[in-house]
PDB file of all heavy atoms in Angstrom:
ATOM      1  N   VAL C  11      -4.700   1.832 -11.758  1.00 86.00           N
ATOM      2  CA  VAL C  11      -3.630   2.829 -11.852  1.00 86.00           C
ATOM      3  C   VAL C  11      -2.355   2.207 -11.311  1.00 86.00           C
ATOM      4  O   VAL C  11      -2.401   1.453 -10.345  1.00 86.00           O
ATOM      5  CB  VAL C  11      -3.959   4.116 -11.054  1.00 86.00           C
ATOM      6  CG1 VAL C  11      -5.006   4.948 -11.730  1.00 86.00           C
ATOM      7  CG2 VAL C  11      -4.380   3.807  -9.630  1.00 86.00           C
ATOM      8  N   SER C  12      -1.250   2.514 -11.936  1.00 90.00           N
ATOM      9  CA  SER C  12       0.010   1.958 -11.450  1.00 90.00           C
ATOM     10  C   SER C  12       0.296   2.483 -10.054  1.00 90.00           C
ATOM     11  O   SER C  12       0.116   3.665  -9.782  1.00 90.00           O
ATOM     12  CB  SER C  12       1.143   2.325 -12.396  1.00 90.00           C
ATOM     13  OG  SER C  12       0.955   1.634 -13.611  1.00 90.00           O
ATOM     14  N   GLY C  13       0.719   1.565  -9.179  1.00 90.00           N
ATOM     15  CA  GLY C  13       0.993   1.939  -7.800  1.00 90.00           C
ATOM     16  C   GLY C  13       2.312   1.371  -7.324  1.00 90.00           C
ATOM     17  O   GLY C  13       3.276   1.309  -8.074  1.00 90.00           O
ATOM     18  N   GLY C  14       2.320   0.925  -6.084  1.00 93.00           N
ATOM     19  CA  GLY C  14       3.577   0.516  -5.457  1.00 93.00           C
ATOM     20  C   GLY C  14       4.096   1.706  -4.678  1.00 93.00           C
ATOM     21  O   GLY C  14       4.218   2.805  -5.210  1.00 93.00           O
ATOM     22  N   SER C  15       4.381   1.507  -3.400  1.00 94.00           N
ATOM     23  CA  SER C  15       4.703   2.623  -2.510  1.00 94.00           C
ATOM     24  C   SER C  15       5.847   3.512  -3.018  1.00 94.00           C
ATOM     25  O   SER C  15       5.689   4.719  -3.183  1.00 94.00           O
ATOM     26  CB  SER C  15       5.032   2.069  -1.123  1.00 94.00           C
ATOM     27  OG  SER C  15       5.453   3.090  -0.274  1.00 94.00           O
ATOM     28  N   ALA C  16       7.005   2.913  -3.259  1.00 97.00           N
ATOM     29  CA  ALA C  16       8.153   3.724  -3.690  1.00 97.00           C
ATOM     30  C   ALA C  16       7.933   4.315  -5.081  1.00 97.00           C
ATOM     31  O   ALA C  16       8.350   5.438  -5.365  1.00 97.00           O
ATOM     32  CB  ALA C  16       9.425   2.872  -3.678  1.00 97.00           C
ATOM     33  N   ALA C  17       7.248   3.551  -5.946  1.00 97.00           N
ATOM     34  CA  ALA C  17       6.949   4.061  -7.296  1.00 97.00           C
ATOM     35  C   ALA C  17       6.026   5.272  -7.214  1.00 97.00           C
ATOM     36  O   ALA C  17       6.191   6.248  -7.958  1.00 97.00           O
ATOM     37  CB  ALA C  17       6.310   2.954  -8.136  1.00 97.00           C
ATOM     38  N   ASN C  18       5.059   5.242  -6.290  1.00 96.00           N
ATOM     39  CA  ASN C  18       4.187   6.401  -6.093  1.00 96.00           C
ATOM     40  C   ASN C  18       4.983   7.610  -5.628  1.00 96.00           C
ATOM     41  O   ASN C  18       4.753   8.740  -6.067  1.00 96.00           O
ATOM     42  CB  ASN C  18       3.118   6.089  -5.030  1.00 96.00           C
ATOM     43  CG  ASN C  18       2.119   5.041  -5.483  1.00 96.00           C
ATOM     44  OD1 ASN C  18       1.937   4.830  -6.675  1.00 96.00           O
ATOM     45  ND2 ASN C  18       1.477   4.398  -4.536  1.00 96.00           N
ATOM     46  N   THR C  19       5.909   7.368  -4.709  1.00 98.00           N
ATOM     47  CA  THR C  19       6.747   8.470  -4.208  1.00 98.00           C
ATOM     48  C   THR C  19       7.556   9.081  -5.346  1.00 98.00           C
ATOM     49  O   THR C  19       7.626  10.308  -5.485  1.00 98.00           O
ATOM     50  CB  THR C  19       7.669   7.962  -3.078  1.00 98.00           C
ATOM     51  OG1 THR C  19       6.847   7.557  -1.969  1.00 98.00           O
ATOM     52  CG2 THR C  19       8.627   9.041  -2.610  1.00 98.00           C
ATOM     53  N   LEU C  20       8.144   8.233  -6.183  1.00 98.00           N
ATOM     54  CA  LEU C  20       8.907   8.757  -7.331  1.00 98.00           C
ATOM     55  C   LEU C  20       8.023   9.573  -8.266  1.00 98.00           C
ATOM     56  O   LEU C  20       8.448  10.598  -8.789  1.00 98.00           O
ATOM     57  CB  LEU C  20       9.529   7.608  -8.124  1.00 98.00           C
ATOM     58  CG  LEU C  20      10.801   6.969  -7.599  1.00 98.00           C
ATOM     59  CD1 LEU C  20      11.417   6.090  -8.688  1.00 98.00           C
ATOM     60  CD2 LEU C  20      11.822   7.979  -7.115  1.00 98.00           C
ATOM     61  N   ALA C  21       6.781   9.098  -8.484  1.00 97.00           N
ATOM     62  CA  ALA C  21       5.862   9.836  -9.363  1.00 97.00           C
ATOM     63  C   ALA C  21       5.648  11.242  -8.814  1.00 97.00           C
ATOM     64  O   ALA C  21       5.632  12.223  -9.566  1.00 97.00           O
ATOM     65  CB  ALA C  21       4.537   9.094  -9.488  1.00 97.00           C
ATOM     66  N   GLY C  22       5.507  11.342  -7.484  1.00 97.00           N
ATOM     67  CA  GLY C  22       5.337  12.654  -6.861  1.00 97.00           C
ATOM     68  C   GLY C  22       6.579  13.526  -7.002  1.00 97.00           C
ATOM     69  O   GLY C  22       6.493  14.719  -7.304  1.00 97.00           O
ATOM     70  N   ILE C  23       7.742  12.920  -6.790  1.00 98.00           N
ATOM     71  CA  ILE C  23       9.001  13.680  -6.895  1.00 98.00           C
ATOM     72  C   ILE C  23       9.213  14.153  -8.329  1.00 98.00           C
ATOM     73  O   ILE C  23       9.618  15.296  -8.578  1.00 98.00           O
ATOM     74  CB  ILE C  23      10.196  12.814  -6.436  1.00 98.00           C
ATOM     75  CG1 ILE C  23      10.062  12.461  -4.952  1.00 98.00           C
ATOM     76  CG2 ILE C  23      11.521  13.529  -6.692  1.00 98.00           C
ATOM     77  CD1 ILE C  23      11.062  11.418  -4.473  1.00 98.00           C
ATOM     78  N   SER C  24       8.911  13.273  -9.278  1.00 97.00           N
ATOM     79  CA  SER C  24       9.097  13.599 -10.691  1.00 97.00           C
ATOM     80  C   SER C  24       8.205  14.768 -11.125  1.00 97.00           C
ATOM     81  O   SER C  24       8.638  15.650 -11.873  1.00 97.00           O
ATOM     82  CB  SER C  24       8.817  12.366 -11.548  1.00 97.00           C
ATOM     83  OG  SER C  24       9.041  12.635 -12.911  1.00 97.00           O
ATOM     84  N   THR C  25       6.950  14.784 -10.623  1.00 97.00           N
ATOM     85  CA  THR C  25       6.050  15.884 -11.005  1.00 97.00           C
ATOM     86  C   THR C  25       6.531  17.215 -10.438  1.00 97.00           C
ATOM     87  O   THR C  25       6.141  18.264 -10.912  1.00 97.00           O
ATOM     88  CB  THR C  25       4.599  15.643 -10.537  1.00 97.00           C
ATOM     89  OG1 THR C  25       4.593  15.511  -9.110  1.00 97.00           O
ATOM     90  CG2 THR C  25       3.987  14.406 -11.155  1.00 97.00           C
ATOM     91  N   LEU C  26       7.402  17.152  -9.425  1.00 97.00           N
ATOM     92  CA  LEU C  26       7.967  18.388  -8.873  1.00 97.00           C
ATOM     93  C   LEU C  26       9.268  18.776  -9.565  1.00 97.00           C
ATOM     94  O   LEU C  26       9.965  19.691  -9.133  1.00 97.00           O
ATOM     95  CB  LEU C  26       8.180  18.228  -7.360  1.00 97.00           C
ATOM     96  CG  LEU C  26       6.868  18.211  -6.561  1.00 97.00           C
ATOM     97  CD1 LEU C  26       7.099  17.754  -5.134  1.00 97.00           C
ATOM     98  CD2 LEU C  26       6.213  19.590  -6.575  1.00 97.00           C
ATOM     99  N   GLY C  27       9.587  18.054 -10.648  1.00 96.00           N
ATOM    100  CA  GLY C  27      10.692  18.477 -11.508  1.00 96.00           C
ATOM    101  C   GLY C  27      12.040  17.875 -11.219  1.00 96.00           C
ATOM    102  O   GLY C  27      13.052  18.314 -11.766  1.00 96.00           O
ATOM    103  N   LEU C  28      12.097  16.843 -10.385  1.00 98.00           N
ATOM    104  CA  LEU C  28      13.379  16.219 -10.082  1.00 98.00           C
ATOM    105  C   LEU C  28      13.586  14.986 -10.956  1.00 98.00           C
ATOM    106  O   LEU C  28      12.634  14.408 -11.471  1.00 98.00           O
ATOM    107  CB  LEU C  28      13.457  15.844  -8.597  1.00 98.00           C
ATOM    108  CG  LEU C  28      13.747  17.026  -7.651  1.00 98.00           C
ATOM    109  CD1 LEU C  28      12.515  17.872  -7.427  1.00 98.00           C
ATOM    110  CD2 LEU C  28      14.280  16.539  -6.297  1.00 98.00           C
ATOM    111  N   GLN C  29      14.848  14.595 -11.115  1.00 98.00           N
ATOM    112  CA  GLN C  29      15.201  13.451 -11.962  1.00 98.00           C
ATOM    113  C   GLN C  29      15.154  12.158 -11.150  1.00 98.00           C
ATOM    114  O   GLN C  29      15.806  12.052 -10.124  1.00 98.00           O
ATOM    115  CB  GLN C  29      16.619  13.636 -12.522  1.00 98.00           C
ATOM    116  CG  GLN C  29      16.752  14.756 -13.532  1.00 98.00           C
ATOM    117  CD  GLN C  29      15.880  14.529 -14.750  1.00 98.00           C
ATOM    118  OE1 GLN C  29      14.959  15.284 -15.009  1.00 98.00           O
ATOM    119  NE2 GLN C  29      16.173  13.477 -15.490  1.00 98.00           N
ATOM    120  N   CYS C  30      14.378  11.193 -11.642  1.00 98.00           N
ATOM    121  CA  CYS C  30      14.184   9.950 -10.889  1.00 98.00           C
ATOM    122  C   CYS C  30      14.353   8.710 -11.768  1.00 98.00           C
ATOM    123  O   CYS C  30      14.110   8.753 -12.975  1.00 98.00           O
ATOM    124  CB  CYS C  30      12.775   9.902 -10.301  1.00 98.00           C
ATOM    125  SG  CYS C  30      12.381  11.257  -9.191  1.00 98.00           S
ATOM    126  N   ALA C  31      14.715   7.609 -11.117  1.00 98.00           N
ATOM    127  CA  ALA C  31      14.764   6.305 -11.791  1.00 98.00           C
ATOM    128  C   ALA C  31      14.226   5.259 -10.828  1.00 98.00           C
ATOM    129  O   ALA C  31      14.311   5.415  -9.605  1.00 98.00           O
ATOM    130  CB  ALA C  31      16.189   5.960 -12.209  1.00 98.00           C
ATOM    131  N   PHE C  32      13.662   4.187 -11.384  1.00 98.00           N
ATOM    132  CA  PHE C  32      13.028   3.145 -10.574  1.00 98.00           C
ATOM    133  C   PHE C  32      13.602   1.781 -10.911  1.00 98.00           C
ATOM    134  O   PHE C  32      13.900   1.490 -12.065  1.00 98.00           O
ATOM    135  CB  PHE C  32      11.513   3.146 -10.845  1.00 98.00           C
ATOM    136  CG  PHE C  32      10.746   2.110 -10.068  1.00 98.00           C
ATOM    137  CD1 PHE C  32      10.555   2.243  -8.701  1.00 98.00           C
ATOM    138  CD2 PHE C  32      10.212   0.994 -10.708  1.00 98.00           C
ATOM    139  CE1 PHE C  32       9.847   1.282  -7.972  1.00 98.00           C
ATOM    140  CE2 PHE C  32       9.503   0.028  -9.994  1.00 98.00           C
ATOM    141  CZ  PHE C  32       9.320   0.181  -8.625  1.00 98.00           C
ATOM    142  N   ILE C  33      13.756   0.958  -9.880  1.00 97.00           N
ATOM    143  CA  ILE C  33      14.150  -0.438 -10.058  1.00 97.00           C
ATOM    144  C   ILE C  33      13.068  -1.300  -9.421  1.00 97.00           C
ATOM    145  O   ILE C  33      12.752  -1.140  -8.229  1.00 97.00           O
ATOM    146  CB  ILE C  33      15.512  -0.727  -9.389  1.00 97.00           C
ATOM    147  CG1 ILE C  33      16.624   0.081 -10.070  1.00 97.00           C
ATOM    148  CG2 ILE C  33      15.832  -2.220  -9.434  1.00 97.00           C
ATOM    149  CD1 ILE C  33      17.969   0.021  -9.349  1.00 97.00           C
ATOM    150  N   GLY C  34      12.460  -2.182 -10.203  1.00 97.00           N
ATOM    151  CA  GLY C  34      11.403  -3.052  -9.699  1.00 97.00           C
ATOM    152  C   GLY C  34      11.088  -4.112 -10.742  1.00 97.00           C
ATOM    153  O   GLY C  34      11.456  -3.958 -11.917  1.00 97.00           O
ATOM    154  N   GLN C  35      10.424  -5.176 -10.317  1.00 97.00           N
ATOM    155  CA  GLN C  35      10.206  -6.319 -11.202  1.00 97.00           C
ATOM    156  C   GLN C  35       8.751  -6.452 -11.647  1.00 97.00           C
ATOM    157  O   GLN C  35       7.864  -6.609 -10.822  1.00 97.00           O
ATOM    158  CB  GLN C  35      10.630  -7.608 -10.492  1.00 97.00           C
ATOM    159  CG  GLN C  35      10.670  -8.819 -11.391  1.00 97.00           C
ATOM    160  CD  GLN C  35      11.775  -8.715 -12.427  1.00 97.00           C
ATOM    161  OE1 GLN C  35      12.947  -8.752 -12.101  1.00 97.00           O
ATOM    162  NE2 GLN C  35      11.402  -8.570 -13.693  1.00 97.00           N
ATOM    163  N   VAL C  36       8.532  -6.377 -12.964  1.00 97.00           N
ATOM    164  CA  VAL C  36       7.220  -6.712 -13.523  1.00 97.00           C
ATOM    165  C   VAL C  36       7.364  -8.010 -14.316  1.00 97.00           C
ATOM    166  O   VAL C  36       8.468  -8.431 -14.646  1.00 97.00           O
ATOM    167  CB  VAL C  36       6.662  -5.598 -14.449  1.00 97.00           C
ATOM    168  CG1 VAL C  36       6.362  -4.334 -13.671  1.00 97.00           C
ATOM    169  CG2 VAL C  36       7.626  -5.308 -15.612  1.00 97.00           C
ATOM    170  N   ALA C  37       6.217  -8.624 -14.616  1.00 97.00           N
ATOM    171  CA  ALA C  37       6.216  -9.794 -15.495  1.00 97.00           C
ATOM    172  C   ALA C  37       6.026  -9.323 -16.927  1.00 97.00           C
ATOM    173  O   ALA C  37       5.651  -8.173 -17.182  1.00 97.00           O
ATOM    174  CB  ALA C  37       5.085 -10.744 -15.089  1.00 97.00           C
ATOM    175  N   ASP C  38       6.281 -10.217 -17.849  1.00 97.00           N
ATOM    176  CA  ASP C  38       6.094  -9.909 -19.271  1.00 97.00           C
ATOM    177  C   ASP C  38       4.611 -10.134 -19.603  1.00 97.00           C
ATOM    178  O   ASP C  38       4.249 -11.104 -20.268  1.00 97.00           O
ATOM    179  CB  ASP C  38       7.002 -10.822 -20.108  1.00 97.00           C
ATOM    180  CG  ASP C  38       6.996 -10.429 -21.574  1.00 97.00           C
ATOM    181  OD1 ASP C  38       6.435  -9.352 -21.893  1.00 97.00           O
ATOM    182  OD2 ASP C  38       7.518 -11.194 -22.392  1.00 97.00           O
ATOM    183  N   ASP C  39       3.745  -9.247 -19.090  1.00 94.00           N
ATOM    184  CA  ASP C  39       2.306  -9.391 -19.314  1.00 94.00           C
ATOM    185  C   ASP C  39       1.673  -8.000 -19.457  1.00 94.00           C
ATOM    186  O   ASP C  39       2.375  -6.985 -19.411  1.00 94.00           O
ATOM    187  CB  ASP C  39       1.646 -10.191 -18.181  1.00 94.00           C
ATOM    188  CG  ASP C  39       1.855  -9.582 -16.788  1.00 94.00           C
ATOM    189  OD1 ASP C  39       2.289  -8.419 -16.705  1.00 94.00           O
ATOM    190  OD2 ASP C  39       1.589 -10.273 -15.790  1.00 94.00           O
ATOM    191  N   GLN C  40       0.360  -7.966 -19.620  1.00 92.00           N
ATOM    192  CA  GLN C  40      -0.325  -6.702 -19.889  1.00 92.00           C
ATOM    193  C   GLN C  40      -0.174  -5.692 -18.746  1.00 92.00           C
ATOM    194  O   GLN C  40       0.107  -4.521 -18.969  1.00 92.00           O
ATOM    195  CB  GLN C  40      -1.817  -6.954 -20.181  1.00 92.00           C
ATOM    196  CG  GLN C  40      -2.599  -5.713 -20.600  1.00 92.00           C
ATOM    197  CD  GLN C  40      -1.981  -4.958 -21.776  1.00 92.00           C
ATOM    198  OE1 GLN C  40      -1.430  -5.557 -22.690  1.00 92.00           O
ATOM    199  NE2 GLN C  40      -2.041  -3.641 -21.743  1.00 92.00           N
ATOM    200  N   LEU C  41      -0.365  -6.156 -17.509  1.00 92.00           N
ATOM    201  CA  LEU C  41      -0.218  -5.236 -16.375  1.00 92.00           C
ATOM    202  C   LEU C  41       1.219  -4.724 -16.258  1.00 92.00           C
ATOM    203  O   LEU C  41       1.445  -3.577 -15.871  1.00 92.00           O
ATOM    204  CB  LEU C  41      -0.649  -5.903 -15.055  1.00 92.00           C
ATOM    205  CG  LEU C  41      -2.155  -6.021 -14.785  1.00 92.00           C
ATOM    206  CD1 LEU C  41      -2.406  -6.607 -13.396  1.00 92.00           C
ATOM    207  CD2 LEU C  41      -2.873  -4.683 -14.917  1.00 92.00           C
ATOM    208  N   GLY C  42       2.175  -5.573 -16.606  1.00 96.00           N
ATOM    209  CA  GLY C  42       3.574  -5.139 -16.604  1.00 96.00           C
ATOM    210  C   GLY C  42       3.808  -4.015 -17.600  1.00 96.00           C
ATOM    211  O   GLY C  42       4.526  -3.050 -17.326  1.00 96.00           O
ATOM    212  N   LYS C  43       3.170  -4.149 -18.776  1.00 95.00           N
ATOM    213  CA  LYS C  43       3.291  -3.091 -19.800  1.00 95.00           C
ATOM    214  C   LYS C  43       2.627  -1.802 -19.328  1.00 95.00           C
ATOM    215  O   LYS C  43       3.144  -0.703 -19.548  1.00 95.00           O
ATOM    216  CB  LYS C  43       2.667  -3.552 -21.113  1.00 95.00           C
ATOM    217  CG  LYS C  43       3.441  -4.672 -21.818  1.00 95.00           C
ATOM    218  CD  LYS C  43       2.794  -5.042 -23.150  1.00 95.00           C
ATOM    219  CE  LYS C  43       3.605  -6.108 -23.889  1.00 95.00           C
ATOM    220  NZ  LYS C  43       3.473  -7.441 -23.270  1.00 95.00           N
ATOM    221  N   VAL C  44       1.470  -1.935 -18.664  1.00 93.00           N
ATOM    222  CA  VAL C  44       0.768  -0.766 -18.119  1.00 93.00           C
ATOM    223  C   VAL C  44       1.666  -0.032 -17.122  1.00 93.00           C
ATOM    224  O   VAL C  44       1.835   1.190 -17.176  1.00 93.00           O
ATOM    225  CB  VAL C  44      -0.555  -1.197 -17.418  1.00 93.00           C
ATOM    226  CG1 VAL C  44      -1.140  -0.067 -16.578  1.00 93.00           C
ATOM    227  CG2 VAL C  44      -1.584  -1.654 -18.441  1.00 93.00           C
ATOM    228  N   PHE C  45       2.261  -0.816 -16.227  1.00 96.00           N
ATOM    229  CA  PHE C  45       3.119  -0.225 -15.191  1.00 96.00           C
ATOM    230  C   PHE C  45       4.311   0.508 -15.816  1.00 96.00           C
ATOM    231  O   PHE C  45       4.607   1.650 -15.474  1.00 96.00           O
ATOM    232  CB  PHE C  45       3.611  -1.308 -14.230  1.00 96.00           C
ATOM    233  CG  PHE C  45       4.418  -0.760 -13.081  1.00 96.00           C
ATOM    234  CD1 PHE C  45       3.803  -0.364 -11.912  1.00 96.00           C
ATOM    235  CD2 PHE C  45       5.798  -0.618 -13.199  1.00 96.00           C
ATOM    236  CE1 PHE C  45       4.552   0.176 -10.865  1.00 96.00           C
ATOM    237  CE2 PHE C  45       6.551  -0.083 -12.164  1.00 96.00           C
ATOM    238  CZ  PHE C  45       5.920   0.309 -10.985  1.00 96.00           C
ATOM    239  N   ARG C  46       4.986  -0.153 -16.764  1.00 97.00           N
ATOM    240  CA  ARG C  46       6.165   0.469 -17.390  1.00 97.00           C
ATOM    241  C   ARG C  46       5.780   1.748 -18.122  1.00 97.00           C
ATOM    242  O   ARG C  46       6.461   2.774 -18.017  1.00 97.00           O
ATOM    243  CB  ARG C  46       6.833  -0.521 -18.348  1.00 97.00           C
ATOM    244  CG  ARG C  46       8.214  -0.057 -18.811  1.00 97.00           C
ATOM    245  CD  ARG C  46       8.873  -1.074 -19.731  1.00 97.00           C
ATOM    246  NE  ARG C  46       9.080  -2.380 -19.112  1.00 97.00           N
ATOM    247  CZ  ARG C  46      10.107  -2.668 -18.309  1.00 97.00           C
ATOM    248  NH1 ARG C  46      11.010  -1.763 -18.031  1.00 97.00           N
ATOM    249  NH2 ARG C  46      10.217  -3.889 -17.798  1.00 97.00           N
ATOM    250  N   HIS C  47       4.669   1.691 -18.846  1.00 96.00           N
ATOM    251  CA  HIS C  47       4.213   2.875 -19.579  1.00 96.00           C
ATOM    252  C   HIS C  47       3.939   4.035 -18.614  1.00 96.00           C
ATOM    253  O   HIS C  47       4.348   5.173 -18.853  1.00 96.00           O
ATOM    254  CB  HIS C  47       2.935   2.560 -20.370  1.00 96.00           C
ATOM    255  CG  HIS C  47       2.263   3.794 -20.893  1.00 96.00           C
ATOM    256  ND1 HIS C  47       1.264   4.434 -20.194  1.00 96.00           N
ATOM    257  CD2 HIS C  47       2.481   4.529 -22.014  1.00 96.00           C
ATOM    258  CE1 HIS C  47       0.888   5.519 -20.876  1.00 96.00           C
ATOM    259  NE2 HIS C  47       1.610   5.581 -21.971  1.00 96.00           N
ATOM    260  N   ASP C  48       3.224   3.736 -17.517  1.00 94.00           N
ATOM    261  CA  ASP C  48       2.866   4.787 -16.563  1.00 94.00           C
ATOM    262  C   ASP C  48       4.101   5.424 -15.935  1.00 94.00           C
ATOM    263  O   ASP C  48       4.151   6.642 -15.735  1.00 94.00           O
ATOM    264  CB  ASP C  48       1.953   4.240 -15.465  1.00 94.00           C
ATOM    265  CG  ASP C  48       0.542   3.964 -15.970  1.00 94.00           C
ATOM    266  OD1 ASP C  48       0.246   4.304 -17.128  1.00 94.00           O
ATOM    267  OD2 ASP C  48      -0.269   3.409 -15.195  1.00 94.00           O
TER     268      ASP C  48
END
């Protein structure tokens, strides 16, 4: 499951109906695509 501390916090805030954006670095690979999709 996609994680990362601040990303998890944003996921929680977003489910409560607030507008969020994330800045973080993934690689151009399968796990990176999973993370972006999630």
Side-chain angles (χ1 to χ4, degrees):
V11 287
S12 291
S15 175
N18 292 338
T19 295
L20 281 193
I23 296 170
S24 182
T25 59
L26 289 168
L28 282 77
Q29 291 299 115
C30 301
F32 180 71
I33 296 171
Q35 190 68 68
V36 294
D38 188 9
D39 58 13
Q40 185 53 36
L41 282 184
K43 291 182 177 73
V44 167
F45 184 89
R46 192 178 300 278
H47 168 267
D48 287 354

